[in-house]
């Protein structure tokens, strides 16, 4: 009986460790913003929609409109931008707080696809690897929509001395004081290039 319990525990543990990071997908197809519905239902320039754990926020841009889509179980969101006529302008995926990831699609005002940009180009250490790194090192990433709930870990792409890097900023507590940690990871290997701590004042 004990051997069976140990086997089950090991199986569950291995499954959790190897669980795949799910990143939302966008496509290169034309979309149209529902301007009439937005104008009818928006409150102070913002329309909030919810459906099965997904939250969509629509608002004005200058010019045009924007739609942000969050999933309560994902570290990533999709953003869609629309021209004044409602036709899609660009769309793609980002960290909930951070940089673009994957393929972004760009359109002209008539809705014709004019460019596909691989925002992960030059990064062997992938967005999935970043999520796994954060889990392994107890760095909390935000799932879903939490824009108004204080400090959140951010993940941004950057360059350092001509090298592609990731920048992760997060909070730690030490001796009842909070500090902000900034990690710079090599975009090729994921190795820590630089680590700095700064005093953090939430007020």
């Amino acid at each position: 009986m004990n051997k069976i319990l140990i086997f089950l525990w090991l199986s569950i543990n291995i499954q959790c460790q190897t669980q795949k990071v799910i990143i939302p997908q966008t496509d290169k197809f034309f979309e149209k913003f529902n301007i009439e519905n937005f104008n009818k239902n928006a409150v102070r320039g913002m329309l909030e929609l919810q459906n099965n754990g997904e939250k969509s926020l629509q608002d004005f841009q200058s010019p045009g409109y924007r739609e942000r889509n969050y999933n309560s179980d994902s570290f990533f969101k999709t953003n869609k931008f629309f021209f004044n006529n409602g036709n899609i302008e660009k769309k793609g995926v980002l960290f909930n707080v951070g940089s673009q990831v994957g393929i972004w699609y760009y359109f002209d005002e008539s809705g014709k696809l004019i460019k596909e940009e691989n925002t992960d180009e030059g990064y062997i250490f992938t967005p999935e690897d970043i999520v796994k790194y954060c889990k392994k090192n107890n760095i909390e990433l935000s799932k879903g929509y939490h824009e108004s709930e204080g400090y959140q870990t951010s993940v941004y792409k950057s360059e350092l001395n001509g090298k592609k890097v990731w920048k992760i900023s997060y909070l730690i507590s030490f001796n009842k004081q909070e500090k902000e940690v900034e990690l710079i990871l090599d975009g090729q290997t994921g190795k820590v290039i630089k680590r700095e701590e700064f005093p953090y004042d939430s007020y």
Side-chain angles (χ1 to χ4, degrees):
M1 183 67 176
N2 287 338
K3 289 182 179 180
I4 294 174
L5 290 174
I6 292 172
F7 175 78
L8 288 172
W9 181 85
L10 286 172
S11 298
I12 293 171
N13 192 44
I14 290 171
Q15 288 176 7
C16 290
Q17 290 179 358
T18 59
Q19 189 174 27
K20 187 177 180 181
V21 177
I22 303 299
I23 297 181
Q25 298 295 312
T26 53
D27 56 49
K28 60 184 178 182
F29 299 114
F30 173 80
E31 294 186 46
K32 187 87 173 178
F33 188 83
N34 192 333
I35 298 175
E36 182 180 353
N37 184 67
F38 178 81
N39 289 338
K40 180 179 178 181
N41 296 293
V43 178
R44 293 188 293 275
M46 175 75 73
L47 178 59
E48 180 179 319
L49 305 169
Q50 296 205 30
N51 183 33
N52 296 327
E54 292 193 358
K55 183 186 187 92
S56 295
L57 297 174
Q58 297 179 343
D59 59 8
F60 288 113
Q61 287 293 285
S62 181
Y65 306 89
R66 174 179 64 167
E67 180 178 286
R68 292 170 287 163
N69 298 290
Y70 297 83
N71 187 293
S72 59
D73 199 40
S74 177
F75 304 110
F76 302 89
K77 64 183 177 183
T78 60
N79 273 10
K80 300 177 182 180
F81 296 84
F82 301 84
F83 291 105
N84 274 333
N85 62 8
N87 289 349
I88 187 71
E89 178 185 1
K90 60 182 176 180
K91 56 180 172 177
V93 179
L94 310 85
F95 275 95
N96 282 334
V97 184
S99 285
Q100 298 175 330
V101 302
I103 305 294
W104 272 68
Y105 301 96
Y106 296 81
F107 304 78
D108 66 16
E109 201 162 353
S110 71
K112 180 183 176 181
L113 179 68
I114 56 175
K115 185 174 79 168
E116 297 183 24
E117 179 186 9
N118 180 6
T119 64
D120 295 333
E121 187 173 352
Y123 286 85
I124 294 177
F125 199 75
T126 66
E128 294 93 334
D129 292 328
I130 286 291
V131 172
K132 292 173 184 177
Y133 178 91
C134 289
K135 286 182 178 180
K136 181 179 179 181
N137 291 277
N138 297 314
I139 299 172
E140 184 177 357
L141 289 173
S142 295
K143 286 185 176 182
Y145 177 75
H146 297 284
E147 194 166 296
S148 61
E149 295 183 11
Y151 189 96
Q152 296 177 73
T153 298
S154 64
V155 180
Y156 284 96
K157 292 171 178 169
S158 187
E159 287 198 11
L160 181 65
N161 300 323
K163 178 184 290 188
K164 300 280 189 180
V165 297
W166 291 99
K167 184 174 76 172
I168 306 174
S169 300
Y170 62 100
L171 287 186
I172 59 171
S173 295
F174 183 74
N175 290 337
K176 297 183 179 180
Q177 291 186 334
E178 289 186 316
K179 291 185 177 182
E180 182 176 26
V181 176
E182 185 178 283
L183 285 181
I184 304 295
L185 305 186
D186 190 306
Q188 300 288 305
T189 65
K191 290 183 178 179
V192 177
I193 298 175
K194 188 177 180 181
R195 184 185 188 278
E196 291 186 289
E197 293 184 8
F198 308 94
Y200 177 75
D201 188 350
S202 59
Y203 298 100

